[in-house]
Structures are given as structure tokens and as C-alpha cells.
Amino acid sequence: MSTAPAVVLVGPMGVGKSTVGRLLAERLGLGYRDTDDDIVAAEGRTIAEIFVDEGEPAFRALEKHAVRTALAEHEGVLALGGGAILDPDTRALLSGHRVVYLSMDVEEAVRRTGLNVARPLLAVNPRKQWRELMEARRHLYEEVATAVVPTDGRDPEEVTQAALDALELKEA
């Protein structure tokens, strides 16, 4: 019998995938898994260290493997790293899954990520880089999404409820 996550969360860094993912898992009575955590555990170092030591292509290869494995193994709520949707094979694998795209605007992103947090892709001019990342990625998030849930001005509980409502899922 094949397994599949009940819900997959995608969206930019700092949008709250981990926080909302844990809340969703709790409310649905399921386990929670984050592919970024899987990579850190497997590699024994932070994502920022992997970026610095080996570069983005090496990290993306690890990420692709982590996503493929988690999609095959995990039956609960799964959060993907912000750039996981860049890979066409990963986007294809997400087809047929319940995918929630957590969206936010740049001002909310600045407020949440702080601008001084260890985000390797936002090292210089974070606002400009975040806008550019979103211009490159927004359509990809939308392509894989079953539902889009805006997070701006909402606390994690409100976002969690909006995701449950959007997917028409009942709490455990």
C-alpha cells in the first residue's frame, strides 16, 4: 500500500510552514515532518553551512532526495523547504497531493524573517532579493498548490484554520 502525506505545505522562507505544519498535524492527529530538518539530520550540519561549503546546487540535490523520500514515507503533514518547488521532478511528484501554498507579501516577510536571520539566499539586500525570489517562484508555488492560504496579518492558529477550511479537512 502506498503512503502519502495528508497535507504538504509549500511557500517562501519565513512564511510559517514549520509552525503551521506542527499545528495542522496536531489538529489532524497526525505526525509532522519537515524536509529541511531531514537534510540537517542526515548531513549533520545546518542548511546555511551546506550552502557555504558546497553551494546551492549541492543543497538542491539533497533537498530533491529528501522530498522524494518524505513523500513516499510520510503520512502526516509535510513541510517543504522554500526552494523545493524549483525542481521540475519535485513539482511533478507533488501532483495529486493536497498541497497548501502559504503566501505572504514582502513587508510581512521582512517583519517575520528579520533581515538578520541566517538565510543564505537573503544575505545582501534582503528586501530586493526576497522580491526577486518570489517573482521567480510564485508561479511555481501556485502550479503545485491545491489551495493558497494568505498568511499576512494572521496568527498561526488563524492560518491553520484557513488551511483546514481550504482543504475541507476535519480535525481529529
Side-chain angles (χ1 to χ4, degrees):
M1 184 172 134
S2 68
T3 60
V7 180
V8 179
L9 298 176
V10 299
M13 59 190 90
V15 77
K17 294 182 298 287
S18 298
T19 302
V20 170
R22 285 185 186 92
L23 287 169
L24 264 176
E26 183 181 305
R27 300 222 351 224
L28 292 169
L30 299 169
Y32 169 76
R33 184 167 175 174
D34 183 317
T35 56
D36 281 352
D37 293 344
D38 291 350
I39 295 165
V40 170
E43 295 297 306
R45 54 199 167 133
T46 68
I47 289 169
E49 289 169 330
I50 297 167
F51 264 81
V52 169
D53 295 346
E54 298 178 41
E56 186 175 357
F59 171 75
R60 295 295 174 208
L62 294 170
E63 181 174 57
K64 181 177 179 174
H65 175 74
V67 170
R68 178 180 297 277
T69 300
L71 286 172
E73 296 175 353
H74 188 66
E75 295 179 339
V77 177
L78 178 64
L80 304 189
I85 47 78
L86 293 171
D87 182 76
D89 294 336
T90 296
R91 291 195 308 277
L93 284 175
L94 290 171
S95 176
H97 288 279
R98 271 193 214 105
V99 180
V100 176
Y101 162 32
L102 299 179
S103 68
M104 69 178 167
D105 69 22
V106 70
E107 295 312 316
E108 187 83 359
V110 167
R111 188 178 69 71
R112 291 186 193 184
T113 59
L115 301 188
N116 59 356
V117 181
R119 306 277 184 181
L121 291 179
L122 299 181
V124 181
N125 195 345
R127 278 177 201 257
K128 178 175 183 272
Q129 288 185 298
W130 194 88
R131 274 193 191 96
E132 289 172 358
L133 277 175
M134 282 309 297
E135 285 170 16
R137 295 178 180 181
R138 183 175 290 108
H139 71 285
L140 300 175
Y141 291 131
E142 291 169 350
E143 174 186 319
V144 301
T146 308
V148 179
V149 176
T151 64
D152 304 283
R154 289 175 157 172
D155 68 29
E157 287 289 345
E158 292 169 317
V159 174
T160 301
Q161 187 59 54
L164 288 169
D165 293 346
L167 296 173
E168 299 179 355
L169 292 174
K170 301 288 182 232
E171 293 182 48

